Amino acid sequence: MKTRREFIKKASAGALLGSGLLASCTKKGAGGPAVHTGQTLKWKLCTTWPKNFPALGTGANFLAEQIQSLSGGRIEVSVYGDGELVPALGVFDAVSRGTAELGHAAAYYWKGKHEATQFFAAVPFGLNAQEMNAWLHFGGGLGLWDELYASFNLKPFPAGNTGTQMGGWFRKEIRSVGDFKGLKMRIPGLGGEVLRELGATVVTLPGGEIFQSLQSGAIDATEWIGPYNDLAFGLHKAATNYYWPGWQEPGATLEAFVNRQAYESLPSDLKAVVAAACQATNMRILSEFTARNNEALQTLIHKHNVKLKRFSDPILKALGQASNSIVSSIAAKDAFSKRVFASFDKFRKQSIAWGEVAEGGIGQARALVF
Ligand code: CA
C-alpha cells in the first residue's frame, strides 16, 4: 500500500490531470483523520487573506463560527490568516496534505496546479455572482470542480463572492485601447493576460505593496476589488480615475475546501453542516460586499472627489475580444479544461439572454425613473 506521503506527492504534482482524473484520491484509510467517534474534532482553517481582513478574513471567521455552532461544538475550528500557519499561496497544499483540514481562498490562485481552476473563481467577461452560483449548483459547475479537486485530495465548496469588481485605478485617463500600450498595471490572473495581449506591462503585487507602488508611480494603474476594500487601502490617494465595469472579475467566487479524508470521515450530519456553513458564508460575504460597496462608492465620489469613469464601448469591445481569445486558448490546452470551458461557455450564453431581460432589464427601467 502506498504511504500517504507518496500519495500526496503524486497528487500535488498536478500532472495527473487531463482526461483521466484520479478516482482513487478519495480512498479512505490512507492515514487521514480518524473516523468520528463522538469526540470533538479540532480543525484548522487556513486562509489566503490577512487575519480579519474586511469581508474576506472576517468571512473566513464566519465560516468557522458557523461550522462550530451548527455542529453543536462537535467541530471546533481555529482560523489562521496569511502567514500564520502557511503563507497565502501554501494553503492549497497544506489542506491537500492534511496540515490543515480546511482552506478559504479563491480558486484562480491555483492555476499553477491546473489552468481549469480559474473557471471556478473569475473569468474576464464571464459570469456575475448570481450566475456563478447558478452555474455551480444547477449548471454542472460544482460537479466539475469536485472532480478537479478530488485529484488534489480536496472537497470544494463555493463560500463567498466579491460581486462585480471595479475596473481599477488609473493615474491617467484611458481614452482609447491604445492607452493600454506600455501601461504598467497590477492586475493578476486572466485579466492580466488580456492586458498583456493589448500591450500593457502586467505586474503582480501582493495587496500590501499596491498603494505605495501606485503613489510612487512605479505602476500606472491597479485593480484590487471594489469600493469597500479599495477605500480601506486608500487607493484614491494615489490615483483619481476610477473605472468601471470590472470586466476582469464580473463576480469572483471564493472557495472553501476540505481535506478529502477529513471530509469523508465525517458522519452524514456533519457533512451537511460543512455544506450548510459554506452556503451561509457564500451568501453572507456577497451581501456584505454589496452593502459596503454601495456606501464606500458614495464616500469615494463625494468625500474624496474620485472621478468615476466608464470604459468606452470601443475599449470594452477590444477587452472582450482579447478575453475571448485568451480564455479559449487556455481552455484548449487540455481535455479537462475543454470540458469545463464548454460547460461555462454554454451557461454564459444562456445567462446573457436571461440577464438582459432580468437584471439588465430592471436596471434600465430603474434608471428611467430614479
Ligand atoms: Ca481583483
Side-chain angles (χ1 to χ4, degrees):
M1 192 175 105
K2 281 191 178 64
T3 65
R4 176 172 167 79
R5 187 183 296 264
E6 282 165 349
F7 168 69
I8 294 303
K9 199 171 156 194
K10 197 177 164 203
S12 299
L16 302 159
L17 288 161
S19 52
L21 291 165
L22 273 188
S24 62
C25 289
T26 56
K27 193 164 59 181
K28 290 179 196 174
V35 171
H36 186 73
T37 52
Q39 82 278 27
T40 301
L41 296 172
K42 290 185 189 298
W43 276 17
K44 295 186 182 81
L45 162 55
C46 54
T47 77
T48 48
W49 333 114
K51 190 80 179 274
N52 301 323
F53 193 76
L56 302 171
T58 57
N61 296 345
F62 178 79
L63 173 61
E65 288 157 15
Q66 286 291 299
I67 292 176
Q68 209 156 303
S69 62
L70 290 173
S71 70
R74 287 154 69 201
I75 308 179
E76 283 178 9
V77 186
S78 311
V79 182
Y80 297 84
D82 174 13
E84 290 187 325
L85 187 66
V86 290
L89 297 183
V91 167
F92 192 89
D93 285 339
V95 178
S96 176
R97 67 176 176 257
T99 304
E101 287 77 11
L102 189 58
H104 192 248
Y108 50 31
Y109 291 143
W110 323 122
K111 69 171 191 173
K113 303 286 183 193
H114 197 286
E115 293 281 4
T117 57
Q118 299 172 98
F119 287 98
F120 305 108
V123 172
F125 290 83
L127 303 174
N128 67 25
Q130 181 47 29
E131 290 163 356
M132 276 298 287
N133 284 328
W135 175 57
L136 289 169
H137 290 290
F138 289 92
L142 194 51
L144 290 162
W145 197 0
D146 198 72
E147 187 178 339
L148 176 64
Y149 273 32
S151 66
F152 294 101
N153 201 36
L154 298 170
K155 173 84 182 170
F157 297 91
N161 199 300
T162 65
T164 304
Q165 299 200 358
M166 287 293 287
W169 298 88
F170 295 76
R171 286 164 65 90
K172 287 185 190 156
E173 277 184 72
I174 300 295
R175 293 199 176 90
S176 75
V177 72
D179 289 340
F180 286 120
K181 207 157 263 173
L183 187 89
K184 204 167 175 193
M185 180 162 180
R186 181 265 175 200
I187 171 168
L190 290 166
E193 297 302 320
V194 171
L195 280 195
R196 207 191 305 276
E197 179 84 359
L198 296 177
T201 302
V202 175
V203 295
T204 44
L205 292 173
E209 289 174 33
I210 296 175
F211 174 75
Q212 204 168 7
S213 303
L214 188 61
Q215 195 178 41
S216 71
I219 55 174
D220 306 308
T222 186
E223 68 85 57
W224 178 231
I225 300 177
Y228 179 41
N229 295 92
D230 294 6
L231 175 65
F233 260 14
L235 295 175
H236 56 282
K237 294 178 200 156
T240 55
N241 300 297
Y242 196 25
Y243 275 88
W244 63 282
W247 58 275
Q248 77 286 9
E249 300 193 54
T253 296
L254 310 175
E255 62 179 359
F257 44 77
V258 189
N259 174 278
R260 205 93 188 178
Q261 281 88 36
Y263 178 76
E264 294 297 344
S265 70
L266 295 175
S268 58
D269 64 330
L270 289 184
K271 280 183 181 158
V273 158
V274 171
C278 289
Q279 287 253 28
T281 307
N282 200 35
M283 165 104 165
R284 158 111 180 178
I285 293 179
L286 175 61
S287 303
E288 182 175 359
F289 268 114
T290 304
R292 303 290 183 226
N293 280 334
N294 293 346
E295 296 167 9
L297 182 63
Q298 297 312 310
T299 304
L300 285 169
I301 295 170
H302 299 296
K303 196 170 163 200
H304 299 296
N305 301 315
V306 163
K307 292 178 216 154
L308 188 64
K309 292 187 171 147
R310 178 181 178 272
F311 289 122
S312 69
D313 284 350
I315 290 172
L316 287 173
K317 203 167 173 187
L319 288 168
Q321 283 164 345
S323 297
N324 194 29
S325 102
I326 295 281
V327 173
S328 309
S329 71
I330 283 172
K333 281 185 185 171
D334 65 89
F336 184 75
S337 296
K338 259 184 214 164
R339 279 173 61 208
V340 178
F341 180 62
S343 170
F344 185 93
D345 198 39
K346 182 181 170 203
F347 205 85
R348 175 168 54 184
K349 284 192 180 83
Q350 294 176 356
S351 298
I352 290 168
W354 169 236
E356 196 177 315
V357 297
E359 279 86 356
I362 196 64
Q364 284 177 351
R366 285 193 309 200
L368 295 173
V369 184
F370 299 100

